[in-house]
């Protein structure tokens, strides 16, 4: 084998496009990957999950009264005034100056006639409500991400269309300038092309500014640094047939997170009313203790063990109308929650109907825009041919080019509207955000 010349190796090393210290380019993000990334680490979801954990802790606290309560106590007592009986030559004390005691006590609730059960049910309702609030936060954040994702795709495509229009106007301006110099075009033709070119640049600037804002929103959702590259891999897809109205309304009333939260609120108010009604019921408990103490006759300085056991009953007699106030509050909360459920029922029906109407209109506009793009492309080809043959003027050619670009933008907007409308129907039905 012949050795490779050193100059060739050097040239290969210098010309190599890949270096070990260069970071790998970011991989394209699909909509599903974007949703997973946002829903995995967004701060508001962490706060909602913390609320779920807090509600679970309150449930554990409410269930604690059902379990034995064990405590240990120790005490030391010094007594300076000690009663005694004086006998000539001796004093008989009834107590000792320094006494010690250590004990372990156990209390077990036997029955409070459903009061603890009502409090546990109320705490569990709060836990369910916290989970539904987490689901609502995920739904809102997910659909916000979907809108931002497709907004970036739309604006990037709009910028590309604007670039194509600028290239076409640059070419038209070059031709007009050449004809003007040759005496076959007027100054008016040249200025008209310049005006259209300036307007095209202004439109591109506006589209680019909107794109940068939309990308900032998506970076904020993803937790990326400002200016971090966003490589997206997706399109608007093909719309399907609109779902049935009655089935969609039924799904929305059953699955919408807002409706679940409203029903949770009504159930919580009902549980608070039940707990208030059981607040004045007696409590039956068993108590037991074992310990060691001194100071007992006849050997007061000797430590001796003891055991006690008993049953206690506590009956509330007068609570200063506290229970009455709790009942009034719970009944008012229940009425408010039921009114909220009724209001949401109407709102969801309207939301679903509006979303389906928007989806049907978007599908129709998309079909019309496809036909419009085909017609505008055909008209542009005819205009180019006629302009080359000198049949039409430069203005008519520019009009045909503008119409073709406008048709492409209309189709992009229709595709975006159709995709957003499809996700709006899914959101109105209470479906979780998905690609």
């Amino acid at each position: 084998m012949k050795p490779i010349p050193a100059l060739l190796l050097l040239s290969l090393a210098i010309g190599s496009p890949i270096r070990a210290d260069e970071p790998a380019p970011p991989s394209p993000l699909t909509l599903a990957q974007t949703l997973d990334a946002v829903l995995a680490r967004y701060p508001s979801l962490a706060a909602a999950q913390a609320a779920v954990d807090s509600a679970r802790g309150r449930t554990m606290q409410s269930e604690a009264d059902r379990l034995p309560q064990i405590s240990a106590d120790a005490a030391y007592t010094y007594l300076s005034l000690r009663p005694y009986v004086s006998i000539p030559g001796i004093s008989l004390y009834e107590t000792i100056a320094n006494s010690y005691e250590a004990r372990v006590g156990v209390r077990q609730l036997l029955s409070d006639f459903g009061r603890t059960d009502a409090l546990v049910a109320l705490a569990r309702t709060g836990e369910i409500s916290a989970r539904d609030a987490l689901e609502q936060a995920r739904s809102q954040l997910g659909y916000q991400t979907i809108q931002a994702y497709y907004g970036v795709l739309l604006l990037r495509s709009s910028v590309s269309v604007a670039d194509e229009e600028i290239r076409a106007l640059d070419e038209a301006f070059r031709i007009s300038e050449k004809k003007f110099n040759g005496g076959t075009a007027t100054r008016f033709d040249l200025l008209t092309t310049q005006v259209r070119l300036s307007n095209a640049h202004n439109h591109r600037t506006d589209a680019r500014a909107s794109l940068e804002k939309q990308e900032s929103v998506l970076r904020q959702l993803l937790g990326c640094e400002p200016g971090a590259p966003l490589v997206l891999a997706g399109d608007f897809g093909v719309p399907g047939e609109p779902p049935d109205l009655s089935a969609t309304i039924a799904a929305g009333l059953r699955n919408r997170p807002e409706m679940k939260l409203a029903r949770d609120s009504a159930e919580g108010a009902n549980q608070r009313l039940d707990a208030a009604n059981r607040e004045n019921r007696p409590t039956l408990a068993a108590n037991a203790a074992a310990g060691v103490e001194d100071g007992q006759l006849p050997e007061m300085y000797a430590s001796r063990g003891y055991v006690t056991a008993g049953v206690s009953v506590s009956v509330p007699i007068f609570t200063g109308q506290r229970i009455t106030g709790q009942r009034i509050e719970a009944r008012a909360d229940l009425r408010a929650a039921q009114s909220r459920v009724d209001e949401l029922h109407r709102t969801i029906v309207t939301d679903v109907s509006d979303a389906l109407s928007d989806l049907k209109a978007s599908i129709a506009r998309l079909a019309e825009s496809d036909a419009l793009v085909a017609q505008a492309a055909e008209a542009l080809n005819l205009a180019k041919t006629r302009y080359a043959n000198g049949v039409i003027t430069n203005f008519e050619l520019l009009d045909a080019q503008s119409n073709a670009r406008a048709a492409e933008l209309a189709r992009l907007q229709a595709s975006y509207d159709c995709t957003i409308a499809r996700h709006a129907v899914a959101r109105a039905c209470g479906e979780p955000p998905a690609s």
Side-chain angles (χ1 to χ4, degrees):
M1 177 184 294
K2 295 183 179 180
I4 300 177
L7 183 60
L8 178 59
L9 290 175
L10 180 61
S11 64
L12 290 175
I14 295 175
S16 177
I18 300 176
R19 294 178 56 183
D21 57 347
E22 291 182 354
S27 58
L29 284 175
T30 64
L31 177 57
Q33 292 171 335
T34 304
L35 285 171
D36 291 341
V38 172
L39 297 179
R41 56 178 181 268
Y42 202 75
S44 63
L45 297 184
Q49 182 60 54
V52 173
D53 297 337
S54 177
R56 186 180 302 115
R58 288 191 293 271
T59 302
M60 295 177 63
Q61 295 174 44
S62 64
E63 291 176 336
D65 284 341
R66 293 174 172 174
L67 302 176
Q69 308 296 310
I70 304 174
S71 62
D73 302 291
Y76 162 75
T77 304
Y78 171 76
L79 183 61
S80 62
L81 295 177
R82 300 167 59 197
Y84 65 93
V85 177
S86 180
I87 301 175
I90 189 173
S91 296
L92 299 177
Y93 287 92
E94 298 178 5
T95 60
I96 59 178
N98 300 283
S99 61
Y100 302 87
E101 181 185 8
R103 66 190 297 272
V104 175
V106 179
R107 180 184 181 276
Q108 174 63 59
L109 177 67
L110 299 179
S111 176
D112 58 4
F113 301 93
R115 184 169 60 181
T116 298
D117 294 339
L119 294 176
V120 171
L122 176 59
R124 287 176 177 170
T125 301
E127 190 175 345
I128 294 173
S129 180
R131 286 197 294 266
D132 289 338
L134 173 61
E135 179 185 351
Q136 183 185 32
R138 289 178 61 87
S139 176
Q140 292 176 346
L141 186 62
Y143 283 108
Q144 182 183 356
T145 303
I146 289 173
Q147 189 165 5
Y149 183 92
Y150 283 118
V152 171
L153 292 182
L154 170 66
L155 290 169
R156 285 181 176 177
S157 298
S158 299
V159 170
S160 298
V161 172
D163 290 336
E164 292 177 5
E165 183 177 9
I166 289 173
R167 285 193 293 270
L169 288 172
D170 281 334
E171 178 64 19
F173 179 76
R174 186 188 64 80
I175 296 174
S176 297
E177 189 175 27
K178 182 178 180 181
K179 288 186 175 183
F180 175 74
N181 293 332
T184 58
T186 65
R187 176 74 174 170
F188 179 74
D189 297 337
L190 191 63
L191 290 175
T192 302
T193 307
Q194 284 181 324
V195 169
R196 295 202 179 199
L197 184 58
S198 298
N199 288 332
H201 279 289
N202 290 334
H203 292 158
R204 186 192 183 282
T205 300
D206 294 339
R208 186 65 192 176
S210 299
L211 173 60
E212 290 175 356
K213 294 178 182 179
Q214 197 68 30
E215 287 179 340
S216 296
V217 172
L218 189 56
R219 288 191 189 96
Q220 182 257 330
L221 292 171
L222 288 167
C224 299
E225 294 295 328
L230 285 176
V231 183
L232 305 183
D235 52 33
F236 296 115
V238 179
E241 291 295 324
D244 179 68
L245 176 61
S246 58
T248 307
I249 291 176
L253 294 174
R254 183 175 60 253
N255 300 325
R256 281 279 287 269
E258 303 96 310
M259 180 61 79
K260 290 181 179 180
L261 282 173
R263 288 170 179 161
D264 293 341
S265 180
E267 181 63 22
N270 192 38
Q271 294 292 348
R272 284 194 296 274
L273 179 59
D274 184 41
N277 289 331
R278 302 186 186 195
E279 186 70 21
N280 58 355
R281 296 187 180 183
T283 300
L284 179 63
N287 303 279
V292 176
E293 68 174 355
D294 56 7
Q296 301 295 325
L297 294 173
E299 298 179 3
M300 290 190 296
Y301 291 96
S303 297
R304 291 179 292 179
Y306 67 92
V307 175
T308 63
V311 177
S312 63
V313 177
S314 175
V315 180
I317 296 177
F318 180 70
T319 60
Q321 294 190 339
R322 176 175 55 84
I323 297 175
T324 302
Q326 290 176 348
R327 290 170 178 167
I328 293 173
E329 180 186 6
R331 289 192 183 101
D333 290 343
L334 181 59
R335 291 196 305 271
Q338 289 172 343
S339 298
R340 176 61 177 160
V341 170
D342 295 338
E343 179 186 6
L344 273 175
H345 187 283
R346 301 182 183 183
T347 302
I348 290 173
V349 170
T350 303
D351 288 347
V352 171
S353 300
D354 291 347
L356 282 176
S357 298
D358 291 342
L359 178 59
K360 293 176 182 178
S362 299
I363 292 175
R365 285 196 299 270
L366 181 59
E368 293 171 359
S369 65
D370 289 337
L372 180 62
V373 167
Q375 294 167 1
E378 183 179 0
L380 179 59
N381 291 331
L382 291 174
K384 289 179 179 179
T385 302
R386 299 181 68 184
Y387 180 74
N389 295 329
V391 178
I392 63 175
T393 64
N394 182 46
F395 304 122
E396 293 173 303
L397 176 61
L398 292 178
D399 286 339
Q401 291 175 341
S402 298
N403 291 335
R405 301 295 180 266
E408 292 180 14
L409 288 175
R411 181 171 60 180
L412 283 173
Q413 186 65 47
S415 299
Y416 170 81
D417 292 341
C418 191
T419 301
I420 295 300
R422 175 168 55 86
H423 286 286
V425 171
R427 183 175 186 176
C429 292
E431 297 178 4
S435 58

